[in-house]
Coordinates of all heavy atoms in Angstrom, one line a residue:
T135 N 70.2 141.4 6.7 CA 70.3 140.4 7.8 C 71.5 140.9 8.6 O 72.6 140.9 8.1 CB 70.5 138.9 7.3 OG1 69.5 138.7 6.4 CG2 70.6 137.9 8.3
G136 N 71.2 141.1 10.0 CA 72.3 141.4 10.9 C 72.6 140.2 11.8 O 71.7 139.5 12.2
I137 N 73.9 140.0 12.2 CA 74.2 138.9 12.9 C 74.4 139.4 14.3 O 75.4 140.3 14.6 CB 75.5 138.1 12.4 CG1 75.3 137.8 10.9 CG2 75.8 136.9 13.3 CD1 74.2 136.8 10.7
L138 N 73.7 138.8 15.3 CA 73.9 139.2 16.7 C 74.0 138.1 17.6 O 73.6 137.0 17.2 CB 72.6 140.0 17.1 CG 72.4 141.4 16.4 CD1 71.1 142.1 17.0 CD2 73.6 142.4 16.7
G139 N 74.5 138.3 18.8 CA 74.3 137.2 19.9 C 73.0 137.0 20.4 O 72.1 137.9 20.2
S140 N 72.7 135.8 20.8 CA 71.4 135.5 21.3 C 70.7 136.5 22.3 O 69.5 136.9 22.0 CB 71.4 134.3 22.0 OG 71.8 133.1 21.2
A141 N 71.5 137.1 23.2 CA 70.9 137.9 24.1 C 70.5 139.4 23.6 O 69.7 140.2 24.1 CB 71.9 138.2 25.3
D142 N 71.1 139.7 22.3 CA 71.0 141.0 21.7 C 69.8 141.1 20.7 O 69.3 142.1 20.4 CB 72.2 141.4 21.0 CG 73.4 141.7 22.0 OD1 73.2 142.1 23.1 OD2 74.5 141.4 21.7
I143 N 69.3 139.9 20.3 CA 68.3 139.8 19.3 C 66.9 140.4 19.8 O 66.3 141.3 19.2 CB 68.2 138.4 18.7 CG1 69.4 138.2 17.9 CG2 66.8 138.3 18.0 CD1 69.4 136.7 17.4
P144 N 66.4 139.9 21.0 CA 65.2 140.5 21.5 C 65.2 142.2 21.5 O 64.3 142.8 21.2 CB 64.9 139.9 23.0 CG 65.7 138.6 22.8 CD 67.0 139.0 22.0
S145 N 66.3 142.7 22.1 CA 66.5 144.0 22.4 C 66.5 144.9 21.0 O 65.9 145.9 20.9 CB 67.7 144.6 23.1 OG 68.8 144.0 22.5
A146 N 67.0 144.2 19.9 CA 67.0 144.8 18.6 C 65.6 145.0 18.0 O 65.3 146.0 17.4 CB 67.9 144.1 17.7
I147 N 64.8 144.0 18.3 CA 63.3 143.9 18.0 C 62.6 145.0 18.7 O 61.9 145.9 18.2 CB 62.6 142.6 18.0 CG1 63.4 141.6 17.3 CG2 61.2 142.7 17.6 CD1 63.0 140.2 17.6
L148 N 62.7 145.0 20.1 CA 62.0 146.0 20.9 C 62.4 147.5 20.6 O 61.7 148.3 20.7 CB 62.3 145.5 22.3 CG 61.8 144.3 22.8 CD1 62.4 143.9 24.2 CD2 60.1 144.4 22.9
S149 N 63.6 147.6 20.3 CA 64.1 149.0 20.0 C 63.7 149.6 18.7 O 63.9 150.6 18.3 CB 65.7 149.0 20.1 OG 66.3 148.4 19.1
G150 N 63.1 148.7 17.9 CA 62.8 149.1 16.4 C 63.9 148.9 15.5 O 63.7 149.4 14.3
D151 N 65.0 148.4 15.8 CA 66.1 148.4 14.9 C 65.9 147.2 13.9 O 66.6 147.1 12.8 CB 67.4 148.1 15.6 CG 67.9 149.4 16.4 OD1 67.4 150.4 15.9 OD2 68.8 149.2 17.3
A152 N 65.0 146.3 14.1 CA 64.7 145.2 13.3 C 63.3 144.8 13.3 O 62.5 145.0 14.3 CB 65.6 144.0 13.7
H153 N 62.8 144.5 12.2 CA 61.4 144.0 12.0 C 61.2 142.7 12.6 O 60.2 142.4 13.4 CB 60.8 143.9 10.5 CG 60.8 145.1 9.8 ND1 61.9 145.4 9.0 CD2 60.1 146.1 9.8 CE1 61.7 146.7 8.4 NE2 60.5 147.1 8.9
L154 N 62.2 141.8 12.5 CA 62.1 140.4 12.8 C 63.3 139.9 13.6 O 64.5 140.3 13.1 CB 61.8 139.5 11.6 CG 60.5 139.9 10.8 CD1 60.6 138.9 9.4 CD2 59.3 139.4 11.6
G155 N 63.2 138.9 14.4 CA 64.3 138.3 14.9 C 64.2 136.8 15.0 O 63.1 136.2 15.2
L156 N 65.3 136.0 14.7 CA 65.2 134.5 14.6 C 66.2 134.1 15.5 O 67.5 134.3 15.3 CB 65.4 134.1 13.2 CG 65.4 132.7 12.9 CD1 63.9 132.1 13.2 CD2 65.9 132.4 11.4
A157 N 65.8 133.4 16.5 CA 67.0 132.9 17.6 C 66.3 131.8 18.3 O 65.2 131.4 18.4 CB 67.2 134.1 18.5
F158 N 67.4 131.2 19.0 CA 67.0 129.9 20.0 C 66.7 130.5 21.3 O 67.3 131.4 21.8 CB 68.1 129.0 20.0 CG 68.4 128.1 18.8 CD1 69.3 128.4 17.9 CD2 67.6 127.0 18.6 CE1 69.5 127.6 16.6 CE2 67.8 126.3 17.4 CZ 68.7 126.5 16.6
E159 N 65.8 129.7 22.0 CA 65.5 129.8 23.4 C 65.3 131.4 23.8 O 65.9 131.8 24.8 CB 66.6 129.1 24.2 CG 66.8 127.7 24.0 CD 65.6 126.9 24.4 OE1 65.1 127.1 25.5 OE2 65.1 126.0 23.6
V160 N 64.5 132.0 23.2 CA 64.2 133.3 23.5 C 63.3 133.3 24.7 O 62.2 132.7 24.7 CB 63.6 134.2 22.4 CG1 63.1 135.6 22.8 CG2 64.6 134.4 21.3
R161 N 63.5 134.1 25.8 CA 62.7 134.2 27.0 C 61.4 134.9 26.7 O 61.4 135.9 25.9 CB 63.4 134.7 28.1 CG 64.6 133.8 28.6 CD 65.2 134.5 29.9 NE 66.3 133.6 30.3 CZ 67.1 133.9 31.3 NH1 67.0 135.1 31.9 NH2 68.1 133.1 31.6
R162 N 60.3 134.5 27.3 CA 59.0 135.2 26.9 C 59.1 136.7 27.5 O 59.7 136.9 28.5 CB 57.9 134.5 27.7 CG 57.6 133.1 27.1 CD 57.2 133.1 25.6 NE 57.0 131.8 25.1 CZ 57.8 131.2 24.4 NH1 59.0 131.8 24.1 NH2 57.5 129.9 23.9
H163 N 58.6 137.5 26.7 CA 58.6 138.9 26.9 C 57.3 139.6 26.4 O 56.9 139.4 25.4 CB 59.8 139.7 26.4 CG 60.0 141.0 26.6 ND1 59.3 142.1 26.4 CD2 61.0 141.6 27.4 CE1 59.7 143.2 26.8 NE2 60.8 143.0 27.6
P164 N 56.7 140.5 27.3 CA 55.3 141.0 26.9 C 55.4 141.9 25.7 O 54.5 142.0 25.0 CB 54.9 141.9 28.1 CG 56.1 142.1 28.9 CD 57.0 140.8 28.8
G165 N 56.8 142.4 25.3 CA 56.9 143.2 24.1 C 57.1 142.4 22.9 O 57.2 143.0 21.8
L166 N 57.2 141.1 23.0 CA 57.5 140.3 21.8 C 56.3 139.3 21.6 O 55.7 138.9 22.4 CB 58.8 139.4 22.1 CG 60.1 140.1 22.2 CD1 61.2 139.2 22.5 CD2 60.5 140.9 21.0
R167 N 56.2 139.0 20.2 CA 55.2 138.0 19.8 C 55.9 136.9 18.9 O 56.7 137.3 18.2 CB 54.0 138.5 19.2 CG 54.3 139.3 17.9 CD 53.0 140.0 17.4 NE 53.3 141.0 16.5 CZ 52.9 141.0 15.1 NH1 52.3 140.0 14.7 NH2 53.1 141.9 14.3
Q168 N 55.6 135.8 19.3 CA 56.2 134.7 18.5 C 55.4 134.4 17.3 O 54.2 134.0 17.3 CB 56.4 133.5 19.3 CG 57.2 132.3 18.7 CD 57.3 131.1 19.6 OE1 56.3 130.4 19.7 NE2 58.4 130.8 20.3
L169 N 56.0 134.4 16.0 CA 55.3 134.4 14.8 C 55.4 132.8 14.2 O 54.5 132.4 13.6 CB 55.9 135.2 13.8 CG 55.9 136.7 14.0 CD1 56.6 137.6 12.9 CD2 54.5 137.2 14.4
A170 N 56.4 132.1 14.6 CA 56.7 130.7 14.2 C 57.7 130.1 15.1 O 58.5 130.8 15.6 CB 57.1 130.8 12.7
V171 N 57.7 128.8 15.2 CA 58.6 128.1 15.9 C 58.9 126.7 15.4 O 58.1 126.1 14.7 CB 57.9 127.9 17.3 CG1 56.8 127.1 17.3 CG2 59.0 127.5 18.4
A172 N 60.1 126.2 15.6 CA 60.5 124.9 15.5 C 61.3 124.4 16.7 O 62.1 125.1 17.1 CB 61.3 124.7 14.1
R173 N 61.0 123.1 17.1 CA 61.7 122.6 18.2 C 62.7 121.6 17.6 O 62.4 120.6 17.1 CB 60.8 122.0 19.2 CG 60.0 123.2 19.8 CD 58.9 122.6 20.8 NE 58.2 123.8 21.4 CZ 57.2 124.4 20.8 NH1 56.7 124.0 19.7 NH2 56.7 125.5 21.5
L174 N 64.0 121.8 17.8 CA 65.0 121.0 17.1 C 65.8 120.2 18.1 O 66.2 120.7 19.2 CB 65.9 122.0 16.3 CG 65.3 122.9 15.4 CD1 66.4 123.8 14.6 CD2 64.5 122.2 14.4
P175 N 66.1 119.0 17.8 CA 66.8 118.2 18.7 C 68.3 118.8 18.9 O 69.0 119.1 17.9 CB 67.0 116.8 18.1 CG 65.9 116.8 17.1 CD 65.6 118.3 16.6
L176 N 68.8 118.8 20.2 CA 70.1 119.2 20.5 C 70.9 117.9 20.5 O 70.4 116.8 21.0 CB 70.1 119.9 22.0 CG 71.4 120.4 22.3 CD1 71.8 121.7 21.4 CD2 71.3 121.0 23.7
G177 N 72.1 117.9 19.9 CA 72.9 116.6 19.7 C 74.3 116.8 19.9 O 74.8 118.0 19.8
A178 N 75.0 115.7 19.8 CA 76.4 115.6 19.8 C 76.9 115.6 18.3 O 76.3 114.8 17.6 CB 76.9 114.4 20.6
V179 N 78.0 116.3 18.0 CA 78.4 116.3 16.6 C 79.7 115.6 16.6 O 80.6 116.0 17.3 CB 78.4 117.7 16.0 CG1 79.0 117.8 14.6 CG2 77.2 118.6 16.2
V180 N 79.8 114.5 15.8 CA 81.1 113.6 15.8 C 81.4 113.3 14.4 O 80.5 113.5 13.5 CB 80.8 112.4 16.5 CG1 80.5 112.7 18.0 CG2 79.6 111.6 15.9
P181 N 82.6 112.9 14.1 CA 83.0 112.5 12.7 C 82.4 111.1 12.5 O 82.0 110.4 13.5 CB 84.4 112.5 12.9 CG 84.8 112.3 14.3 CD 83.7 113.0 15.1
P182 N 82.2 110.7 11.3 CA 81.6 109.5 10.9 C 82.3 108.2 11.4 O 81.7 107.2 11.6 CB 81.5 109.5 9.4 CG 82.5 110.5 8.9 CD 82.6 111.5 10.0
D183 N 83.6 108.4 11.8 CA 84.3 107.3 12.4 C 84.2 107.1 13.8 O 84.9 106.1 14.4 CB 85.8 107.2 11.8 CG 86.5 108.3 12.3 OD1 85.8 109.3 12.8 OD2 87.7 108.4 12.0
S184 N 83.4 108.0 14.4 CA 83.4 108.0 15.9 C 82.4 106.7 16.4 O 81.5 106.3 15.6 CB 82.6 109.2 16.4 OG 82.3 109.0 17.9
P185 N 82.9 106.1 17.4 CA 82.0 105.0 18.0 C 80.6 105.5 18.4 O 79.7 104.6 18.4 CB 82.9 104.7 19.3 CG 84.1 105.2 19.2 CD 84.0 106.4 18.3
L186 N 80.3 106.6 18.4 CA 79.0 107.3 18.7 C 78.3 107.5 17.4 O 77.0 107.6 17.5 CB 79.1 108.5 19.5 CG 79.8 108.5 20.8 CD1 80.0 109.8 21.4 CD2 79.2 107.5 21.8
A187 N 78.8 107.4 16.3 CA 78.2 107.9 15.0 C 77.0 107.1 14.7 O 76.1 107.5 14.0 CB 79.2 108.0 14.0
D188 N 77.0 105.7 15.0 CA 75.9 104.9 14.6 C 74.8 104.7 15.6 O 73.9 104.0 15.4 CB 76.4 103.4 14.2 CG 77.1 102.8 15.3 OD1 77.4 103.5 16.4 OD2 77.3 101.6 15.2

Side-chain angles (χ1 to χ4, degrees):
T135 302
I137 308 301
L138 296 177
S140 298
D142 297 323
I143 289 175
S145 59
I147 303 168
L148 293 169
S149 68
D151 289 339
H153 298 102
L154 301 168
L156 181 67
F158 284 100
E159 297 297 315
V160 173
R161 294 179 180 176
R162 297 295 180 261
H163 188 288
L166 296 175
R167 56 190 167 110
Q168 189 181 76
L169 305 177
V171 65
R173 293 176 177 86
L174 309 181
L176 192 63
V179 182
V180 299
D183 59 355
S184 165
L186 302 176
D188 61 352

